[in-house]
Amino acid sequence: MKKERRKLTIGSLQLENNVILAPMAGVTDQPFRILCREQGCGMVVTEMVSAKAILYKNKNTRELLQISPKEMPASVQLFGSDPEIMARIAAQLEEGPYAAIDVNMGCPVPKIVNNHEGSALMKDMELASRILTSMVRAVKKPVTVKFRKGFNDSLVNAVEFAKMAENCGVAAVAIHGRTREQYYSGKADWDIIRQVKEAVSIPVIGNGDIFTPEDAERMLEETGCDGIMVGRGAKGNPWLFRQICHYLDTGERLEPPSGSEIREMILRHSRMLTEYKGELAAMREMRGHMAWYTKGMPHSAALRSEINQVETLEGLAELLDRRLMEQENLA
């Protein structure tokens, strides 16, 4: 008999479950977040947004900040290194539809790190503390922070970082069990998540290497964390949230989606992207999503090659009919 899946409370925010979609640049845009939410995800998080870009009214931030009622509750993720600007933008966004305001202190990308943002802040806890304190003071909504195991093997400071964040008044922390130096290679260290959980009293959300319902259960059991955050495992697989929630509730594993279900999800995703970004941009973005949706399928390499030539929704539907439905009939 499985335990009933725990709900998750973050400050004044109560989620219906403790399974969260991780923010992923170029992936977790509004259409994808809606699809994951429909599949049972307890909360979604936007792609990370530059506080400075919002301050200077960069037109690209408008799209990143859009939230649909269909995806709520949604947290907005900010990045930056200026405490005053981060607090100012947090206060500005508090009037919006966001359930919480998250701070990215874990992004490993060089252009972010070289600008003393993202995971670079793990090397400067004093500055990180000033940023978090200023933001908590500026808003009433919960402020959360996502960070990593450490910057590199010589600086593994997630436990100290989490304690600092708790002292700043942060409502919850999310930790990815890899260092910045690792990026997404190797294996995530779940033991560091356990250490963080034992060191603080605020909710701890574990992130890293959750690709199956069993992974989700193991992380909860091995680390004691309060919630789990699913990132790369959800690429091309929004069904993973439904599978995880069902497994945690019942101990039963749901059947994977059929070829026709995958086809319908791809087409729906494509239509939503088309409404959101226009047909040409949507078809180009779907090339990456198609690689994820069809990974492991027979002849998926040929399908990915063909999708690169498709520029219309009609053409995509025809391609899927020819490929995916054929495969299901052959199965």
Side-chain angles (χ1 to χ4, degrees):
M1 179 70 72
K2 293 283 173 179
K3 294 180 181 177
E4 185 176 348
R5 178 164 29 102
R6 290 172 291 182
K7 293 183 178 179
L8 180 60
T9 301
I10 299 174
S12 58
L13 172 66
Q14 182 160 2
L15 305 181
E16 63 188 43
N17 67 59
N18 60 349
V19 187
I20 299 170
L21 172 65
M24 292 178 282
V27 179
T28 55
D29 56 15
Q30 187 184 101
F32 187 69
R33 297 194 305 264
I34 291 172
L35 294 176
C36 292
R37 189 72 183 96
E38 288 176 352
Q39 291 296 321
C41 175
M43 184 169 73
V44 298
V45 187
T46 68
E47 300 172 77
M48 64 178 190
V49 192
S50 164
K52 273 188 180 175
I54 299 171
L55 179 69
Y56 296 122
K57 302 190 184 331
N58 183 303
K59 62 181 180 180
N60 295 330
T61 63
R62 273 176 286 180
E63 183 180 287
L64 293 172
L65 291 169
Q66 287 178 4
I67 295 290
S68 163
K70 295 177 182 177
E71 63 182 292
M72 294 178 183
S75 175
V76 59
Q77 189 183 68
L78 297 176
F79 73 93
S81 58
D82 185 310
E84 187 178 336
I85 292 175
M86 291 288 279
R88 180 174 169 183
I89 297 307
Q92 181 181 313
L93 293 179
E94 186 172 32
E95 299 172 9
Y98 315 106
I101 297 167
D102 189 51
V103 189
N104 184 309
M105 293 189 175
C107 179
V109 175
K111 70 176 182 180
I112 301 293
V113 172
N114 293 340
N115 207 29
H116 211 62
E117 299 168 333
S119 58
L121 288 162
M122 296 202 73
K123 297 192 295 182
D124 192 342
M125 284 220 305
E126 192 275 331
L127 176 57
S129 175
R130 286 196 287 124
I131 291 168
L132 294 174
T133 299
S134 66
M135 293 178 73
V136 168
R137 287 175 177 168
V139 297
K140 291 186 173 63
K141 284 184 177 177
V143 174
T144 60
V145 58
K146 186 169 188 287
F147 53 94
R148 287 181 167 246
K149 173 181 176 178
F151 193 79
N152 53 36
D153 287 341
S154 300
L155 183 64
V156 174
N157 61 340
V159 172
E160 293 77 16
F161 206 85
K163 287 179 179 177
M164 174 273 294
E166 182 177 37
N167 290 336
C168 293
V170 163
V173 295
I175 170 173
H176 184 126
R178 288 181 173 86
T179 64
R180 184 266 170 173
E181 196 171 62
Q182 281 182 278
Y183 275 68
Y184 301 98
S185 67
K187 188 178 178 184
D189 179 4
W190 289 2
D191 191 59
I192 195 74
I193 300 171
R194 178 190 60 78
Q195 292 175 41
V196 168
K197 173 59 188 169
E198 291 172 355
V200 297
S201 58
I202 55 176
V204 174
I205 300 159
N207 178 221
D209 292 352
I210 298 177
F211 296 99
T212 67
E214 290 86 353
D215 292 338
E217 182 182 57
R218 276 195 312 108
M219 178 177 274
L220 288 168
E221 289 179 349
E222 291 180 15
T223 70
C225 63
D226 304 282
I228 52 177
M229 187 169 267
V230 181
R232 291 174 300 147
K235 288 181 174 181
N237 189 15
W239 300 276
L240 182 57
F241 293 99
R242 180 182 68 187
Q243 293 166 351
I244 288 173
C245 291
H246 185 80
Y247 185 78
L248 293 179
D249 284 345
T250 69
E252 299 169 353
R253 179 138 195 190
L254 292 173
E255 288 293 316
S258 65
S260 59
E261 284 180 294
I262 294 171
R263 172 187 177 275
E264 287 308 310
M265 184 68 83
I266 291 171
L267 285 177
R268 177 135 185 269
H269 193 166
S270 302
R271 289 189 206 104
M272 291 167 71
L273 263 178
T274 296
E275 289 174 15
Y276 193 57
K277 300 182 179 181
E279 191 170 43
L280 187 60
M283 291 305 102
R284 286 175 179 166
E285 282 201 22
M286 281 306 296
R287 291 169 188 172
H289 287 286
M290 281 286 287
W292 299 320
Y293 276 117
T294 60
K295 185 179 180 182
M297 285 185 170
H299 314 298
S300 59
L303 179 59
R304 288 196 295 273
S305 177
E306 287 184 77
I307 189 68
N308 290 336
Q309 314 307 317
V310 172
E311 294 190 346
T312 65
L313 271 171
E314 184 180 3
L316 178 61
E318 289 173 359
L319 172 61
L320 290 171
D321 280 339
R322 189 169 71 250
R323 288 286 186 178
L324 292 179
M325 299 306 281
E326 277 176 10
Q327 288 172 15
E328 190 170 56
N329 291 335
L330 290 171

